[in-house]
Amino acid sequence: MNILEVTGLTKKFGGLYANTNINMNIEKNSITAVIGPNGAGKTTFFNMITAVYKPTSGDILLNGKSLVGLKPHQVTKFGIARTFQNIRLFHDLTVLDNVLVGMHHHLKSSWVGALFQMPRTRHAEENAKKEAYRLLEYVGLAELLNESAGNLSYGAQRRLEIARAIAAKPKVLLLDEPAAGMNPKETKKLTDLIHDMRTKLDITIVLIEHDMKLVMEISDFIYVLDHGEEIASGKPDDIRNNPRVIEAYLGKGAVANG
Amino acid sequence: MRKLVDLFSKNKKAQLLLFIVYVAVSSLSLILAQQSVVAFLLLLFSILLLYFLKLSTKAKWIIGLVIVAVLIPFSASQGQAYESYMDVATLVGIYCAMALGLNIVVGFAGLLDLGFIAFFAVGAYTYGIFASAQASKFLHFGHFPLSGESFWIFILIGGIVAAIFGILLGIPVLRVKGDYLAIVTLGFGEIIRIIFNNLDKPVNITNGSMGIASIAPPKIFGIVIANASQFYYVALAIFLVVVYIVTRLEHSKIGRAWKAIRDNEIAGQAMGIPLVKTKLIAFAIGASFSGMMGVVFAAKQTYIDATSFTLLESTTILVMVLLGGMGSVPGVILGAAVVTILNLQVLTEVSNWLNQLNTNGVISIPDALSPAKMQRFIFGLLLILFALYRPKGLIPAKNQKYDVNKLKKSTTKSVFVEPQVSNDKKASGGSEI
Ligand SMILES: Nc1ncnc2c1ncn2[C@@H]1O[C@H](COP(=O)(O)OP(=O)(O)OP(=O)(O)O)[C@@H](O)[C@H]1O
Ligand SMILES: [Mg+2]
């Protein structure tokens, strides 16, 4: 069953087509990779799904319902959460508060309730904090709960972004270059984490990644973009040997070393 | 000497003892030397010392309330300067509440608002118009002025009307960001002032530049509240309510949402925060504090006109927030107190003193540098120094720390993340990051 379907998705910036007629079918509970050289339009694709950009044309369906025209926060409510290529944490907030913000749309705590300290609100807040702590344990950041997010190491910040995103209880999680800047050991842990989120948390994962080893190891299915166009799609083994993909990468001087 | 300092920073009892001695000495000296502004300021300063004492929050609140509600008014009440001291203290309360309101908008939500005084004006005019004969000039029903007993309900009405203005301003204005927002709000502040200054025709609503006079003073149980020493308690009560609201909201879902969009708007939205609604709530709540204090201001002055609501006032409140520490509740209260006292007492005293020296021929000051003119200059100089050496404010904002032990004791089992998963993960990783 497809959880996310994208048809004819196109984005034009002035004269530049950042995405041209992209079609994707993402199966529920799968791990899908979107790869391509720099400037291929991968992040633009994520930005359209999460309503940061409005598509020039095309449609995005989550469980059959169109997401086009929604506001970003509504998309989150529908069940899509994401991380960012250039980390976007709430750097002055504590690590735990960052995760709590991720719970915004399902946390039953109105500001009127907070004002009068209504039991229901207090309960919801307490449970949310415990759950946030558990999420931090899950990604291995529990000891840093009271640290300002801006003070974390690069790898820890990437993990925190993941914890914050899954706090929103998404059906689909979009990860934009989650392994960027990580050392091999951290990347290994990340790989485990992604697997775990899929099997234990029942989340469908779409990731953009330049680390071919990670991509080939983890993905069920891969889409390749180049110059905004979808040039190939298939299982890792098909992609590895696809001449168009090799050309796209080698032409740019990058090496697909998978 | 070091030992002594060490002793005091560690020993609660020693701290408390020293604090009590300090409070006793400063209040006694105020009682004995009523003209001494210094004694008055020293007594006010005790609140700041109290903040830094190692005591439980509850104990601090009780001691603080006793000092503010009993000791200060009593110590100041023994001489002729009583009312003027209480006038300053009342204004400190008014400005603290307003600065806390602006802090929600600027400090928490990160929206630079340069027209904040407009909401104060809205509150002041709301009460002024109906608690004077002014309302009968354009309303042909009802009896105006309303009696001073209506004041209490008008505190609420003023807050609500200001909140509505906040939302009306917010809807068009929140489309723009950063510097643009600052300019648009600045324009709004000026427009409101100019409208109030000219709305005597075609229908005379605000009496134009003549202002509104004979505003009814508040009344309760037949007692008319007319003196600063009485208004002091009104301002204090509203201030306490405002502090309660602000601290509650800061550590709630909406408070986190404000700070989240301040730190990163795109990520905030991506985490499910509705941007416009969240910003509008900040505008409305901030404005309502200002509106409430506007009502108090109108009732206290019994006369208002548009000259009280200039851009300078807006920037003064902004300075209180910046000086105290953006997003820091204790900081902003301190900032508001410092700026108010500096403007009303210290700088005026200094310039009076210099003037006296000048007229007595002790020193000679050229006319262009007359102390009265220098007040603003000195104020600006202080600001620059603070911006350079304490850019995060007098008391920088601090994050609330969570108690790990409380969070670990989870009785409810989450459906979302099974505990066994988290234990696994904790054992396998987590240490090296
Ligand atoms: N807001 C924008 N306005 C104009 N052009 C844009 C905008 N965002 C992206 N682009 C352009 O669209 C193209 C695709 O950019 P995008 O960020 O999607 O690439 P990417 O595949 O994520 O690359 P990378 O691997 O470097 O992250 C680039 O040429 C970029 O300059
Ligand atoms: Mg990108």
Side-chain angles (χ1 to χ4, degrees), chain A residues 73 76 88 90-92 96-97 104 107 109 111 114-115 117 125 131 133-134 138 140 146 156 159 166 200, chain B residues 244 248 252-253 256 260 263-264 267 269-270 272 274 399 401-402 404 408 410 412 414 416 421 425 430 433:
Chain A
H73 70 269
T76 313
R88 289 179 179 274
F90 310 122
H91 43 81
D92 280 344
L96 193 92
D97 276 337
H104 192 90
L107 179 57
S109 151
W111 56 273
L115 217 53
Q117 286 288 288
E125 281 279 331
E131 175 121 5
Y133 185 74
R134 243 182 260 127
Y138 183 61
N146 282 322
R159 282 159 165 268
I166 53 180
K200 296 221 176 94
Chain B
Y244 175 84
R248 279 275 175 266
S252 73
K253 179 175 151 183
R256 287 190 300 265
D263 278 5
N264 200 312
Q269 283 178 289
N399 277 323
K401 298 258 186 281
Y402 296 101
V404 189
K408 273 183 177 159
S410 42
T412 48
S414 162
F416 185 56
V421 174
K425 270 288 146 188
I433 291 182

Side-chain angles (χ1 to χ4, degrees), chain A residues 80-235:
Chain A
I80 297 186
R82 71 175 290 184
T83 65
F84 296 89
Q85 180 176 353
N86 45 345
I87 300 171
R88 289 179 179 274
L89 286 170
F90 310 122
H91 43 81
D92 280 344
L93 298 190
T94 61
V95 168
L96 193 92
D97 276 337
N98 267 269
V99 179
L100 282 173
V101 173
M103 299 179 176
H104 192 90
H105 77 85
H106 60 79
L107 179 57
K108 298 260 174 304
S109 151
S110 69
W111 56 273
V112 182
L115 217 53
F116 298 107
Q117 286 288 288
M118 297 204 224
R120 212 178 56 142
T121 304
R122 272 173 52 184
H123 230 85
E125 281 279 331
E126 264 166 41
N127 286 339
K129 279 166 195 160
K130 286 175 184 167
E131 175 121 5
Y133 185 74
R134 243 182 260 127
L135 282 167
L136 288 178
E137 285 184 327
Y138 183 61
V139 300
L141 291 173
E143 284 106 279
L144 298 170
L145 82 161
N146 282 322
E147 197 63 51
S148 290
N151 294 342
L152 298 192
S153 73
Y154 202 72
Q157 291 197 354
R158 291 226 174 265
R159 282 159 165 268
L160 179 54
E161 271 213 328
I162 293 176
R164 184 181 68 175
I166 53 180
K169 299 191 178 175
K171 299 186 184 97
V172 178
L173 175 62
L174 311 179
L175 304 171
D176 197 342
E177 304 200 11
M182 282 190 174
N183 60 37
K185 210 170 150 197
E186 285 175 316
T187 308
K188 174 75 184 65
K189 273 168 66 184
L190 176 74
T191 315
D192 293 345
L193 180 65
I194 294 174
H195 269 303
D196 204 85
M197 288 193 290
R198 183 254 296 266
T199 47
K200 296 221 176 94
L201 305 187
D202 208 23
I203 298 175
T204 306
I205 289 163
V206 184
L207 76 151
I208 295 172
E209 191 44 72
H210 285 295
D211 182 337
M212 284 306 143
K213 188 167 165 289
L214 171 71
V215 168
M216 293 300 164
E217 186 184 326
I218 211 172
S219 331
D220 302 314
F221 206 81
I222 300 175
Y223 288 92
V224 189
L225 303 188
D226 188 26
H227 294 298
E229 289 178 48
E230 197 178 309
I231 57 165
S233 64
K235 299 226 182 295

Side-chain angles (χ1 to χ4, degrees), chain B residues 16-31 39 42-43 45-47 49-50 53 63 66-67 71-72 75:
Chain B
L16 193 61
L17 194 72
L18 194 71
F19 178 72
I20 291 172
V21 170
Y22 175 88
V23 171
V25 169
S26 56
S27 54
L28 254 178
S29 51
L30 181 58
I31 290 171
L42 283 178
L43 187 53
F45 187 66
S46 68
I47 302 291
L49 290 181
L50 179 66
L53 282 193
I63 298 173
V66 170
I67 294 176
L71 205 59
I72 291 177
S75 309

Side-chain angles (χ1 to χ4, degrees), chain B residues 85-109:
Chain B
Y85 283 143
M86 284 298 109
D87 195 50
V88 172
T90 307
L91 283 171
V92 169
I94 289 177
Y95 278 112
C96 277
M98 279 208 279
L100 283 171
L102 184 61
N103 183 49
I104 291 181
V105 180
V106 181
F108 291 166

